[in-house]
Amino acid sequence: MSTPRLLTDYDACDLAEMLQNRDISVRQVLEACLARIDAVNPSVNAIVSLRPREDLLAEADKMDASGPAPNQPLWGLPIAVKDLENTKDLLSTSGSPLFADNTPEDDSLMVSRLRAAGVLIIGKTNVPEFGLGSHSYNPIFGVTRNAYNQSRSAGGSSGGAAVALATGMLPIADGSDMMGSLRNPAGWNNVYGFRPTAGLVAKDAEGDAWSQSLSTNGPMARSPRDMDLMLRVIGQPDHRQPLGQPAYKGYEDVNPKNISIGWIRDWSGYYPMEKDVLKTCENALDIFRDLGCTIMEYTPTIAPESLWDAWNILRSHSVACASAPLWQDPAKRALLKDAHIWEIEQGLSYSARDIHHAGIIRSDWFREVADLNLTTLALPSAQMFPFDADISWPKTVAGQAMDTYHRWMEIVIPASLIGLPAVSVPAGFSPHNLPMGLQLIGKAGQDAQLMGLAQTYHEATRFPQNHPPQI
């Protein structure tokens, strides 16, 4: 006799449809998620600032009484928002002691769109301090632990979101990605993370709207179809943004025979790789080949060292512009972690000529990809499997010393530097049952095609559903 299926096992799209049809209630879905949180979250610490249960149940009952309004595709779905986003009347700390008591009066633009689409916000998901570093720990809430091995890192900065998805605490989640923060934790927790084309998900209308940011918000889920559901909500233009993209209207049904994937591998040995990372990703590429895709090895002509140099300049400059006021106040500087101070001081040291030179490299790389006779590029989502959760960052990869706190994640910058859409799909597991992801990188604006390709792969593999964590 088969075990009855739990509501927390359903895809978000299926739950949304059942909720819209009133086949299930918002209270039923919420209670299932809260039960799962009670059972699992103490071991992984993925969800933080959970709202009081009585408040959540009262809100669910109110939603059930009124029913969904028109144009609320996410109605009734519980979600915990990444703790880098402002959420009205809910603690929003960015993982920093400087904001340990911060309760915003307004939602961020993305959160307001999710709320308008009908989500039930239950709390936040854990992050590294200010989102810096691909390991989700901070002095307020502590360490988020991997869904498949609680002694290992969950990745970051969307580590809490990825673990909450993998363990069934949430049906869908938001994340953000500057240096792989949607891709690394997705890969390390056997779920999907999608970094949209720069500008597709509009940011808050404040500050300099002309300088293209290196970071973007995006969706995470246990299937591309679920990510697509969220991206149709948050991937909408904002008339106050001068550098946006047309509205995202849903994924394309792709014919794999029309897809050519350039496998960059380790960029001719430039990226140090832990044993079995490449093998795991090549096994995933074999699935794409079996589906009909053309797979070929591709080595870019641009020097990878130049991308790293450009990235460091532009990233540190961006961090410094955002955080210099904190650094200039000695009392606040004392509460910043060392990596943050290093980023700010690096950024403040660069000249206009340095920034211009980095922009030239960035532009050269964009032009090279734009001219490629390939639809997609592929790289591992990380250069190593999840590391010990009790260290700050890995000092070596495959015996090679890492000279910065983020060098071990260098493999994500080819997409981040030029704002390309990229999705991390589950690739499989190491001999020690640690997950790895495969990055698929599309050309600018080809989000719908990339999402459709990921969904085709998912239908052939269903890694999250077929290999859930044993927790």
Side-chain angles (χ1 to χ4, degrees):
M1 186 173 180
S2 62
T3 303
R5 192 176 180 193
L6 300 174
L7 284 177
T8 50
D9 293 334
Y10 281 81
D11 280 358
C13 286
D14 295 333
L15 284 177
E17 182 178 358
M18 290 189 288
L19 285 163
Q20 292 282 340
N21 294 337
R22 312 307 292 272
D23 296 328
I24 55 174
S25 68
V26 178
R27 176 183 265 263
Q28 284 177 297
V29 177
L30 173 63
E31 287 182 330
C33 288
L34 290 177
R36 188 66 177 152
I37 290 169
D38 288 344
V40 174
N41 200 52
S43 297
V44 293
N45 191 38
I47 293 179
V48 298
S49 302
L50 186 66
R51 292 172 57 197
R53 185 177 300 261
E54 58 271 21
D55 293 350
L56 290 170
L57 291 172
E59 186 172 341
D61 289 341
K62 185 177 179 180
M63 294 175 74
D64 281 326
S66 62
N71 301 315
Q72 286 194 310
L74 304 180
W75 184 78
L77 291 178
I79 188 173
V81 176
K82 185 174 179 178
D83 203 24
L84 299 183
E85 291 292 313
N86 280 345
T87 43
K88 183 180 179 181
D89 299 329
L90 181 60
L91 194 63
S92 302
T93 73
S94 294
S96 168
L98 292 170
F99 296 98
D101 300 315
N102 178 46
T103 305
E105 296 181 358
D106 298 293
D107 289 327
S108 71
L109 176 61
M110 185 195 71
V111 172
S112 70
R113 287 179 166 175
L114 290 171
R115 205 186 292 272
V119 300
L120 174 53
I121 297 175
I122 66 170
K124 307 301 282 285
T125 54
N126 203 28
V127 297
E129 189 175 339
F130 286 103
L132 296 174
S134 290
H135 179 26
S136 295
Y137 73 98
N138 62 67
I140 299 176
F141 299 115
V143 179
T144 296
R145 296 180 178 274
N146 193 280
Y148 287 80
N149 184 329
Q150 286 74 68
S151 72
R152 302 300 180 103
S153 170
S157 60
S158 308
V163 173
L165 286 167
T167 55
M169 291 189 281
L170 296 176
I172 199 168
D174 72 287
S176 57
D177 187 310
M178 178 183 257
M179 195 173 175
S181 293
L182 281 157
R183 292 164 281 161
N184 155 263
W188 277 6
N189 290 281
N190 193 41
V191 296
Y192 293 85
F194 192 93
R195 177 193 167 98
T197 295
L200 178 59
V201 178
K203 294 180 177 291
D204 291 343
E206 59 186 23
D208 181 2
W210 291 96
S211 296
Q212 188 59 262
S213 174
L214 298 174
S215 66
T216 179
N217 292 325
M220 302 179 78
R222 294 190 294 263
S223 74
R225 186 173 70 119
D226 287 352
M227 292 195 297
D228 178 81
L229 179 68
M230 179 182 280
L231 192 55
R232 280 183 274 145
V233 169
I234 64 175
Q236 299 293 322
D238 180 89
H239 69 277
R240 299 165 295 178
Q241 302 290 336
L243 300 173
Q245 295 283 325
Y248 178 79
K249 296 181 179 178
Y251 70 79
E252 296 176 5
D253 291 323
V254 301
N255 182 348
K257 292 182 180 178
N258 297 329
I259 300 294
S260 53
I261 299 176
W263 173 225
I264 297 178
R265 209 169 183 275
D266 59 1
W267 204 315
S268 298
Y270 173 76
Y271 296 128
M273 293 282 182
E274 187 176 342
K275 185 177 183 292
D276 293 316
V277 168
L278 292 176
K279 179 181 178 182
T280 305
C281 289
E282 285 167 348
N283 289 340
L285 285 169
D286 284 340
I287 296 171
F288 282 102
R289 185 180 287 109
D290 291 342
L291 290 168
C293 299
T294 300
I295 313 294
M296 61 186 71
E297 294 222 3
Y298 164 66
T299 301
T301 61
I302 197 167
E305 298 91 341
S306 69
L307 298 188
W308 177 245
D309 290 342
W311 175 258
N312 273 322
I313 292 169
L314 295 173
R315 174 185 163 99
S316 293
H317 175 66
S318 174
V319 171
C321 288
S323 299
L326 302 177
W327 177 84
Q328 289 165 344
D329 182 330
K332 292 179 179 177
R333 186 191 309 175
L335 295 177
L336 299 177
K337 68 179 183 179
D338 291 344
H340 197 174
I341 293 172
W342 176 81
E343 287 269 23
I344 295 168
E345 293 177 348
Q346 285 283 110
L348 294 175
S349 74
Y350 293 124
S351 67
R353 185 184 294 272
D354 292 330
I355 296 165
H356 175 70
H357 177 66
I360 295 297
I361 295 169
R362 186 185 198 184
S363 301
D364 286 344
W365 174 227
F366 184 91
R367 286 185 283 262
E368 177 172 342
V369 175
D371 286 340
L372 280 177
N373 191 26
L374 292 165
T375 54
T376 312
L377 299 176
L379 283 162
S381 293
Q383 292 165 233
M384 63 188 305
F385 291 97
F387 57 81
D388 185 343
D390 294 326
I391 66 172
S392 297
W393 51 275
K395 304 303 189 292
T396 62
V397 176
Q400 184 169 317
M402 300 290 101
D403 56 355
T404 72
Y405 81 102
H406 54 11
R407 186 68 179 252
W408 63 275
M409 280 299 298
E410 185 175 359
I411 202 164
V412 300
I413 68 168
S416 294
L417 183 63
I418 54 177
L420 297 182
V423 60
S424 177
V425 303
F429 297 82
S430 76
H432 301 291
N433 199 41
L434 295 174
M436 177 51 59
L438 175 71
Q439 290 183 80
L440 300 174
I441 303 168
K443 294 189 177 182
Q446 295 301 311
D447 301 73
Q449 181 190 69
L450 191 63
M451 191 77 82
L453 178 61
Q455 179 62 23
T456 299
Y457 174 82
H458 175 71
E459 290 168 4
T461 59
R462 294 180 57 82
F463 268 113
Q465 291 73 23
N466 293 330
H467 305 278
Q470 301 303 307
I471 183 171

